[in-house]
């Protein structure tokens, strides 16, 4: 018999709150070491995560999670029914997640007070490249992104020399690299249809519950959307890319991939990623002594995410920065 | 649950090599990406497994499977939320073993709710959550990232021992200031030795608890003093490392001052010992003043520094590391402080005289090969008083810098210097370089005495004397075959409770024909006496 327990929500995204206000019913979709997913209806996923994971557009952060100690969600099993009543998520017959005292997290990140200059952006882009090179996962799309970003003699996309462009690619990289190149070429030409076609060829591609291609695209599109919203630069192909992906991803990837990608197309990114982007494009300088060392805490937070997800997300932001710099 | 299974497929790798494939599909199965990557890596490592692809069944991943010849009808029928495991192996037996391994790994994860496997924390914050009672972080990462990690640790309320080097002086000042404002210790960068609450950190020895507190800017200097304190029957309360650059004018001894204050406030510390190369005068004055202000008796070993400056503050100056230990122990026992003298019980004169008598007429030089930088410095200072200046890669004065790697006249080489450690472990960890140098120096017909330090304890090679012994024997045998006598003088820095065991290490060296002195200072004195014996012939 399930032991009765009450878990306190620390914060909840405003979009999840709106969803739960309809008092939906569903079930526990999946249970992991530090999180669990609830499935509402056919395709709405809500994550219950620990504070270390941070806020996300689809997430509730639980106060009771204690870092990465084992046994974070005792009693949670996939398939258990869940329902929502009066600000409380009820799971099975013994678990209640209280949202009454939870802070509401707005997935629309605040723009930085002051934006970096073009030279400043180039500098932080280099910092991100170095951090990915030193700390990033070697699996996923990293090598393919770096190779595709490398500027060739014809002046194809890319500023400077990305880190491990010469690194040998695995099969995923060999498949992904020409698709990424096609995406960057089309995007640099402001060719909307071709950009969308290239992006769709990456949806659902690669390892992971959120496949690498989804991680990359979420960060690429999300960074472009935020960059344009914050007045850093604009690319006419962004709007079409966002609209087209929103319409075209259903059934092309996993539920988790779609749950990450869909809000990202509106600039709603996981908190750690959004914070990293704000740091990279904002001119405010963190006075902590570690900043000068290269890999900032915010970059590190993103790179430490999952197996390849963090690196793929960082690569997406890196690619978007290239285009934002060119339009700055 | 295996829902689908493929048959023998076409060749992979070598075109003519028969291979078989198997596809496992789990409907609506969810594992985190770390788990999936881990399964893929583990299965691929099995002998005979040519391919192990673990992906979700999206269209583009099926295309990926097709690209490696693994898109069977079963895999093709998978949907985006299905887990697909595609295996390719040399034969059916290997394939069955691989499939079984996958099943076990997936089942284990599912049964555990993903929660039972111990996973190393990936951030300082999560490590802190894992071990909430922790109050200190030992950080050893590439220098460019070290300051960032140290900052994280300090922000999490942890004291820091920063083993990394290649941290800029600006970062060091920033970190130490940041830590000092929060009442935290920031030991390092490039701090290799500390003992906090009786726990040895990095390169340190198993020293009994006691009432002597040490603040050291020198790793092997601190190891030598604390080991000798133990061997003299006393013990240490806390040993705080500062990093070698702390007492420079720019850093200003931030950590040394904080360490002194901490030991001054520590009720278990009755005596405070400072160990360092001579600091900048203004920094030395601040440190001595702070030590005096604690009101506790203090012993100061600024190796090669001016004792008058120390004594002017009413503190006790030590002339070498052995002297520092002797005086600290005497103070801790409220015994009379005696001037340093070479103990007749060590029989240095007799041993030197006997050795000198056996050395052939053409042999005249001393060659020191050191793993500890401070021990090398101490030796050069002692030898300079006895036999004149010594050549070195880290000389006391620039005029005596060695050109190249080989010993020259009387010389002492610090093999732990950056020049020798690029791309290879420190000689305290890996003796290979020193063994090569030992063979090289011993083959010089003018070499009379080889002087070696042997540093044991945590972090050091598991059996440094055992590694040196056969080479010492070989060198002495070859010398004898060419009508020479090679005197090998050593000391062991460590204690009987160190993992390598002081007594066993000393016995191995003696067995190989080396002389083993009770300290580096004594070994240096012994070597000097041998050379003086040769010069007086």
């Amino acid at each position: 018999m399930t032991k009765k327990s009450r878990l306190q929500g620390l914060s909840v995204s405003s979009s999840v709150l709106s969803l739960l206000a309809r008092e939906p019913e569903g079930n526990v979709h999946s249970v992991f070491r530090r999180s669990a997913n609830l499935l509402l209806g056919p395709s709405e996923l809500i994550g219950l995560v620990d504070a270390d994971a941070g806020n996300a557009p689809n997430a509730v952060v639980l106060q009771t999670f204690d870092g990465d100690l084992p046994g974070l969600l005792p009693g949670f099993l996939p398939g258990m029914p869940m329902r929502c009543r009066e600000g409380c998520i009820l799971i099975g017959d013994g678990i209640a997640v209280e949202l009454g005292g939870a802070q509401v997290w707005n997935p629309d990140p605040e723009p930085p007070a002051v934006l970096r200059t073009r030279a400043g952006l180039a500098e932080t882009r280099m910092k991100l490249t170095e951090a990915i090179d030193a700390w990033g996962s070697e699996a996923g799309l990293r090598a393919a992104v770096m190779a595709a970003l490398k500027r060739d003699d014809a002046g194809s996309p890319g500023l400077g020399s990305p880190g491990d462009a010469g690194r040998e690619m695995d099969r995923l990289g060999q498949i992904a690299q020409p698709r990424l190149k096609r995406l960057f070429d089309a995007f640099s030409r402001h060719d909307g249809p071709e950009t969308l076609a290239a992006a769709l060829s990456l949806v659902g591609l690669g390892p992971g519950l959120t496949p690498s291609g989804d991680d990359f695209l979420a960060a690429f599109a999300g960074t472009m959307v935020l960059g344009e919203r914050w007045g850093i630069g604009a690319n006419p192909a962004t709007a079409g890319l966002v609209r087209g992906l929103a319409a075209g991803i259903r059934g092309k990837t996993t539920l988790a991939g779609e749950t990450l990608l869909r809000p990202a197309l509106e600039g709603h990114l996981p908190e750690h990623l959004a914070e990293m982007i704000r740091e990279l494009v904002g001119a405010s300088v963190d006075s902590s002594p570690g900043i000068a060392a290269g890999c900032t805490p915010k970059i590190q937070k993103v790179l430490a995410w999952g197996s390849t997800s963090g690196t793929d997300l960082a690569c997406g932001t890196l690619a978007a920065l290239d285009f934002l710099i060119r339009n700055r | 649950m295996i829902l689908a299974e493929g048959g023998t497929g076409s060749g992979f790798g070598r075109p003519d090599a028969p291979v078989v494939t198997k596809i496992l599909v789990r409907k609506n199965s969810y594992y985190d990406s770390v788990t999936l990557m881990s399964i893929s890596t583990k299965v691929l490592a099995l002998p005979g497994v040519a391919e192990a692809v673990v992906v979700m069944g999206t269209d583009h991943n099926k295309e990926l499977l097709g690209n490696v010849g693994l898109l069977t009808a079963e895999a093709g029928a998978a949907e985006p939320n299905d887990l697909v495991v595609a295996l390719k192996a040399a034969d059916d037996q290997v394939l069955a073993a691989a499939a079984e391994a996958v099943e076990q790994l997936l089942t284990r994860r599912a049964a555990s709710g993903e929660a039972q496997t111990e996973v190393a924390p990936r951030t300082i914050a999560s490590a802190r959550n894992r071990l909430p009672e922790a109050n200190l972080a030992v950080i050893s990462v590439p220098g460019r990232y070290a300051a960032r990690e140290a900052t994280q640790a300090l922000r999490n309320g942890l004291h820091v021992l920063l083993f990394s080097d290649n941290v800029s002086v600006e970062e060091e000042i920033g970190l130490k200031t940041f830590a000092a404002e929060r009442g935290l210790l920031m030991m390092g960068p490039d701090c290799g030795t500390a003992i906090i609450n009786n726990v040895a950190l990095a390169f340190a020895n198993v020293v009994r608890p006691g009432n002597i507190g040490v603040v050291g800017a020198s790793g092997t200097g601190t190891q030598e003093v604390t080991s000798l304190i133990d061997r003299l029957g006393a013990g240490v309360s806390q040993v705080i490392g500062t990093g070698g650059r702390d007492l420079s004018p720019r850093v200003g001894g931030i950590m040394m001052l904080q360490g002194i204050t901490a030991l001054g406030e520590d009720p278990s510390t009755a005596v405070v010992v400072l160990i360092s190369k001579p600091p900048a005068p203004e920094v030395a004055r601040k440190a001595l003043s702070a030590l005096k202000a604690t009101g506790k008796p203090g012993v100061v070993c600024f190796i090669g520094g001016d004792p008058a400056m120390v004594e002017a503050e009413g503190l006790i100056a030590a002339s070498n590391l052995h002297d520092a230990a002797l005086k600290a122990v005497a103070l801790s026992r409220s015994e009379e402080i005696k001037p340093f003298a070479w103990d007749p019980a060590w029989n240095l004169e007799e041993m030197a005289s006997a050795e000198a008598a056996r050395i052939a007429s053409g042999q005249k030089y001393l060659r020191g090969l050191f793993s500890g930088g401070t021990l090398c410095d101490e030796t050069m200072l002692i030898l300079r008083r006895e036999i004149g200046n010594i050549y070195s890669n880290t000389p006391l004065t620039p005029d005596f810098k060695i050109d190249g790697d080989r010993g020259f006249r009387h010389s002492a080489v610090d093999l732990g210097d950056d020049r020798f450690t690029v791309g290879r472990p420190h000689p305290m960890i890996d003796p290979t370089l020193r063994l090569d140098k030992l063979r090289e120096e011993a083959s010089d017909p003018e070499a009379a005495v080889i002087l070696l330090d042997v540093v044991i304890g945590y972090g050091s090679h598991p059996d440094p004397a055992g590694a040196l012994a056969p080479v010492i024997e070989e060198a002495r045998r070859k010398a004898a075959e060419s009508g020479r006598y090679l005197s090998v003088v050593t000391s062991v820095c460590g204690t009987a409770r160190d993992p390598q065991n002081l007594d066993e290490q000393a016995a191995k060296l003696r067995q190989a024909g080396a002389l083993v002195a009770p300290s580096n200072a004594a070994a240096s004195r012994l070597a000097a006496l041998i050379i003086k014996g040769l010069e007086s012939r």
Side-chain angles (χ1 to χ4, degrees), chain B residues 19 25 43 45 85 111 170 231 240 278 285 310 314 391 487 515 529-530:
Chain B
V19 294
V25 179
V43 173
V85 181
E170 292 79 11
R231 284 149 63 179
I240 298 170
R285 272 190 289 275
V310 176
Y391 287 86
S487 180
L515 301 174
L529 290 173
I530 297 170

Side-chain angles (χ1 to χ4, degrees), chain A residues 74-114:
Chain A
F76 274 68
L77 290 172
M80 288 174 97
M82 65 77 56
R83 63 191 193 284
C84 193
R85 296 285 182 274
E86 297 173 353
C88 190
I89 303 171
L90 304 168
I91 295 159
D93 61 357
I95 302 169
V97 179
E98 296 275 5
L99 299 178
Q103 288 193 333
V104 179
W105 177 73
N106 183 351
D108 269 323
E110 286 286 318
V114 183

Side-chain angles (χ1 to χ4, degrees), chain B residues 281-296:
Chain B
E282 66 273 23
V283 181
R285 272 190 289 275
K286 280 197 287 185
L288 295 174
S289 176
L291 180 52
K292 184 181 179 182
T294 65
K296 295 183 178 180

